[in-house]
Amino acid sequence: MKKKLKFLALLLLLSLVLETGVASAGTVPYDTYNYDYWENIVLTPAAYIPAGSISGSTVGTTGFMNPQDISVGDDGRIYVADSGNNRIVVIAADHKSLDRVIEGVMIDGKLSKFNGPYGIYVTKENLIYIADTNNRRIVVLDDEDNLVDIIENPQSEVLAKDYAFMPLKVCVDYAGRVYSIIKGETLGIMQFEGHEFTGYFGTIEVGISLAEKFWRKIATKEEREKQIQYVPTEFTGLDIDEDGFIFATNRDTQGKQAVRRLNPKGDDVIRKGENQNVGGDIITSGTSDYSGASYIVDVAVRDKGIYSLLDNKRGRIFTYDSEGNLLYIFGGLGTQTGTFVTPVSIEADNRFIYVLDSFRKEILLFKVTEYGALINEAVGLRYDGDEKEAVDIWWKVLALDENNELANRGIGKAYLSAGDNEMAMKYLELGNSRQYYSIAFKRYRNELLKASLGYILTVLFVIIVGLVAFKQYKKRSVKKKG
């Protein structure tokens, strides 16, 4: 009887555990995961969880219609490019009320209405840059919606006289230089200083292999027309970091690099991490669930070198550190709270990650969990060069996720910096960091050789003395016998 009662109690306890697990998992309608060194998917604790949504009706105005872009000011206000309604909606920092609606700009005493404004960017000085797409202009307003400047009808020898200037996204650096992605433009991002078009910025060169060049030469006209056209890649999103480097996302069918960090010269200086990949999902064509590379449409630059990419195809958010290491992945497609239908723009501040969904006509908010906050903090400390403090945080990450390769690598690198090469080897192996493991191994081997050198020399000395003594003894024995 007692055995039966114990068995029933065990079943009851197990059912409660399962119910609790399902309930907690049910609060997040998507998986949070990462890839290990071997590019296998590894599930992790949730890094961010849904924290509500904002729509036109929730803040006291009419609903959004085909919204395409958002920008969050330093004061917390959210600016929405409500393209279908030909307006800019400014949401108060409390996210519950409407700040104002901007429908156009006053020019010579008359209201010039927006026509399909597609992109928006707000500077630290609260200057508002609007890509007024169908009006073929970039409008600059101050914080009171007064006209500051208009960029339109760019002139250059490299542009056709009837060039269709249709800006989609816009971004501004610390020097006031304006960068804009233009509809249908594949030569690069347009750069402006004042009203003057100064050239294309960050052009992506598409290389052709020698074999491809050979086949194109011997192919017939019909065959060449069927072959892939090697044109530069089109950009999709823009943001800027605290050092003035432009982050630009681009269409990437190979799934290798969907974002670039462009220096003032327009050169890409982004780092790609252990997997040499900043293209979103790492998926090989041999898997059964393969559906092509991620389609990255936007980037949000965050503090301490961290940035997040938005995948329009699978509704996922990929977050990387300044070294190109993938920190965590979350999000998904669906109709549940916290999932997307057509995500088009991403922003972030110290409170939330914001994602604009054009189909759902709302902004979805995500707040960080303990797990995500610890990773962000450790990465930030390492970015600032504080390895010792970072290690303490990495230990807390491992307590929540013992297989976290980045935490193991962080701890291993800290041991390496401290000169404890044996412990460094242990954690760098767990973190699958071949580069740093090799460094630790060489140093550890040199340590052993150095520590053993005295013993080795002593043994060699004893052996040599012994051999000399043995030879002398043998000579004397031979003489005696003679």
Side-chain angles (χ1 to χ4, degrees):
M1 184 67 179
K2 286 182 179 181
K3 287 184 179 180
K4 287 183 179 180
L5 287 173
K6 285 182 179 180
F7 181 70
L8 289 172
L10 184 61
L11 283 177
L12 179 62
L13 179 63
L14 182 60
S15 64
L16 286 172
V17 169
L18 289 173
E19 285 176 11
T20 303
V22 171
S24 62
T27 59
V28 181
Y30 47 73
D31 290 327
T32 299
Y33 64 97
N34 207 329
Y35 290 93
D36 64 15
Y37 178 82
W38 308 105
E39 299 187 355
N40 298 310
I41 291 176
V42 180
L43 295 179
T44 69
Y48 279 78
I49 59 175
S53 62
I54 304 170
S55 65
S57 58
T58 62
V59 297
T61 185
T62 54
F64 302 142
M65 184 182 295
N66 193 32
Q68 289 298 321
D69 199 14
I70 55 174
S71 182
V72 179
D74 283 355
D75 57 7
R77 286 183 290 184
I78 305 173
Y79 297 75
V80 184
D82 190 8
S83 304
N85 285 322
N86 300 317
R87 64 181 183 173
I88 302 298
V89 177
V90 186
I91 299 165
D94 62 6
H95 297 165
K96 298 177 182 178
S97 57
L98 180 68
D99 186 272
R100 65 191 190 278
V101 174
I102 312 171
E103 295 185 342
V105 58
M106 296 299 294
I107 301 177
D108 297 330
K110 294 182 180 179
L111 180 65
S112 176
K113 291 190 174 182
F114 297 133
N115 187 2
Y118 199 93
I120 189 162
Y121 183 82
V122 181
T123 68
K124 293 183 180 297
E125 297 77 25
N126 282 331
L127 289 176
I128 309 166
Y129 286 75
I130 302 163
D132 191 9
T133 306
N134 293 334
N135 279 331
R136 300 189 177 189
R137 64 186 182 180
I138 296 172
V139 177
V140 188
L141 305 177
D142 64 16
D143 196 29
E144 295 181 352
D145 306 339
N146 298 311
L147 178 64
V148 175
D149 202 359
I150 292 180
I151 299 172
E152 58 186 345
N153 191 26
Q155 300 294 313
S156 173
E157 294 180 355
V158 301
L159 300 176
K161 290 183 178 180
D162 57 347
Y163 181 76
F165 179 65
M166 300 184 72
L168 295 177
K169 296 292 179 74
V170 62
C171 181
V172 188
D173 68 12
Y174 58 86
R177 288 181 289 261
V178 178
Y179 305 85
S180 182
I181 295 172
I182 310 302
K183 185 177 181 179
E185 184 61 81
T186 59
L187 293 179
I189 300 163
M190 274 190 152
Q191 182 181 24
F192 297 86
E193 292 192 22
H195 297 90
E196 184 182 356
F197 167 60
T198 56
Y200 290 104
F201 183 81
T203 303
I204 302 173
E205 299 293 339
V206 179
I208 306 176
S209 67
L210 290 174
E212 288 165 341
K213 287 180 180 179
F214 173 76
W215 286 113
R216 285 175 72 85
K217 282 188 176 182
I218 66 172
T220 64
K221 182 179 179 181
E222 291 76 14
E223 288 173 334
R224 285 197 297 270
E225 287 176 353
K226 291 179 182 179
Q227 289 176 343
I228 299 172
Q229 297 299 310
Y230 292 93
V231 296
T233 303
E234 192 173 351
F235 287 100
T236 58
L238 289 173
D239 205 351
I240 187 168
D241 67 13
E242 57 189 2
D243 296 319
F245 288 79
I246 302 295
F247 278 73
T249 55
N250 57 271
R251 302 201 67 165
D252 173 31
T253 58
Q254 302 301 315
K256 296 294 183 183
Q257 184 174 359
V259 62
R260 281 161 169 75
R261 183 174 185 248
L262 305 171
N263 66 15
K265 293 182 179 179
D267 299 326
D268 180 26
V269 293
I270 203 161
R271 300 174 67 180
K272 298 181 182 179
E274 292 287 334
N275 283 313
Q276 290 295 295
N277 186 302
V278 285
D281 265 319
I282 303 172
I283 298 177
T284 58
S285 57
T287 57
S288 58
D289 63 344
Y290 178 72
S291 57
S294 295
Y295 179 25
I296 303 300
V297 292
D298 202 11
V299 55
V301 175
R302 298 158 60 182
D303 291 335
K304 309 296 183 182
I306 298 173
Y307 59 94
S308 295
L309 305 180
L310 178 64
D311 181 6
N312 176 268
K313 179 180 284 187
R314 299 184 182 90
R316 290 171 184 160
I317 297 166
F318 302 85
T319 299
Y320 300 82
D321 66 10
S322 61
E323 297 178 346
N325 298 307
L326 191 51
L327 305 181
Y328 41 77
I329 307 167
F330 70 92
L333 297 177
T335 56
Q336 296 172 280
T337 301
T339 59
F340 314 113
V341 179
T342 310
V344 293
S345 180
I346 184 171
E347 276 283 274
D349 60 16
N350 57 5
R351 296 186 295 171
F352 301 103
I353 288 178
Y354 308 83
V355 178
L356 176 64
D357 192 311
S358 65
F359 184 87
R360 295 180 64 154
K361 305 173 185 178
E362 61 183 2
I363 303 166
L364 284 76
L365 279 62
F366 298 86
K367 64 180 181 181
V368 70
T369 64
E370 180 188 6
Y371 177 73
L374 288 171
I375 292 177
N376 294 343
E377 184 180 0
V379 169
L381 288 167
R382 175 168 172 75
Y383 182 82
D384 291 335
D386 197 341
E387 295 280 5
K388 185 177 182 301
E389 290 292 329
V391 168
D392 295 338
I393 307 301
W394 284 129
W395 283 117
K396 294 179 181 178
V397 172
L398 285 183
L400 297 174
D401 179 15
E402 63 180 358
N403 296 317
N404 190 295
E405 289 187 352
L406 193 61
N408 281 307
R409 287 202 296 269
I411 293 170
K413 288 177 183 179
Y415 275 124
L416 188 62
S417 298
D420 191 341
N421 298 308
E422 186 175 9
M423 291 298 290
M425 287 168 58
K426 174 184 175 182
Y427 285 97
L428 290 170
E429 184 177 11
L430 291 171
N432 280 312
S433 178
R434 295 193 173 189
Q435 177 187 355
Y436 285 96
Y437 179 87
S438 178
I439 295 171
F441 175 77
K442 288 177 182 177
R443 291 182 181 178
Y444 183 62
R445 180 189 61 194
N446 292 339
E447 277 182 8
L448 292 179
L449 288 172
K450 188 175 180 180
S452 305
L453 188 61
Y455 298 106
I456 294 170
L457 291 176
T458 301
V459 171
L460 286 174
F461 178 75
V462 170
I463 291 172
I464 292 169
V465 170
L467 288 172
V468 171
F470 179 73
K471 285 184 178 181
Q472 292 295 329
Y473 170 77
K474 204 167 184 181
K475 284 181 180 179
R476 289 175 184 176
S477 297
V478 170
K479 285 180 181 179
K480 285 181 180 180
K481 287 181 179 179

